[in-house]
Amino acid sequence: METGSPDDTGAAGATEAVRGEPEWTGLPPGLLRMRRLLLVVWLGLLTLAAGVLPGLFLGPFWAALALLPLALTVGGWVMLERNWRSWRYAERADDLLISRGVLWREETVVPYGRMQLVEVTSGPVERHFGLASVQLHTAAAATDATIPGLDPSEAERLRDRLTELGEARSAGL
């Protein structure tokens, strides 16, 4: 591809034009760490409760009940990574794409001109892990979309960019 061509729209646009598909961005690994910690904490407590209490009151045979939440923890560990890897987003010239899902893939297209509100939220656990989510609200409630687990600086950059593009598209510029 030639540099400086009239249709050159920047690095992401140039890459998109060459490959015929958008430049996808994945989620940071902090989201995976946070979700895995929550899995271990909650299912770890359940494993202790399911194993220790029956083992103490009903006998050691009943302590085997702890194997079920332990197996769920191991399976959940793997599924959380698959789910985390499935999330990605891409900024295109006229819209934002959000793709997610392991068994059922879901791809949401949010046109910039349809965005009414772009929010950055961060709960206490997300803040502890240095994460924030971007939520997009559109005229149709069915197309509202969220990008979870972003670095706060990236979430703010994305919010500002989407707001700017949304205002420009809705004004007809």
Side-chain angles (χ1 to χ4, degrees):
M1 183 178 124
E2 299 174 38
T3 57
S5 63
D7 59 16
D8 189 15
T9 57
T15 307
E16 181 180 331
V18 170
R19 292 190 309 203
E21 69 177 57
E23 181 75 24
W24 291 101
T25 304
L27 300 181
L31 179 65
L32 179 61
R33 282 193 300 272
M34 178 190 78
R35 288 181 175 175
R36 281 182 168 171
L37 178 67
L38 291 173
L39 173 80
V40 168
V41 166
W42 289 111
L43 286 179
L45 291 173
L46 185 61
T47 300
L48 285 174
V52 172
L53 295 177
L56 288 174
F57 295 114
L58 301 173
F61 174 75
W62 291 98
L65 289 174
L67 294 177
L68 179 61
L70 189 60
L72 288 173
T73 303
V74 171
W77 188 272
V78 172
M79 288 306 298
L80 283 174
E81 182 168 358
R82 290 185 66 200
N83 179 272
W84 170 75
R85 287 188 186 281
S86 75
W87 277 86
R88 57 191 187 158
Y89 65 96
E91 300 172 61
R92 296 194 306 182
D94 296 320
D95 50 32
L96 177 74
L97 299 177
I98 302 172
S99 179
R100 65 195 167 280
V102 176
L103 295 177
W104 284 273
R105 299 282 309 153
E106 186 175 330
E107 192 167 289
T108 304
V109 179
V110 184
Y112 297 134
R114 294 290 199 157
M115 286 185 220
Q116 292 183 331
L117 175 67
V118 181
E119 287 183 296
V120 174
T121 60
S122 185
V125 177
E126 285 179 309
R127 278 194 310 274
H128 177 74
F129 283 89
L131 302 172
S133 296
V134 174
Q135 186 168 10
L136 310 164
H137 299 279
T138 62
T143 58
D144 287 358
T146 301
I147 304 172
L150 297 174
D151 293 320
S153 60
E154 171 63 10
E156 290 172 9
R157 183 205 64 82
L158 191 59
R159 177 200 59 207
D160 294 343
R161 176 161 164 72
L162 295 177
T163 301
E164 178 185 313
L165 290 169
E167 289 172 353
R169 295 299 188 277
S170 66
L173 298 176

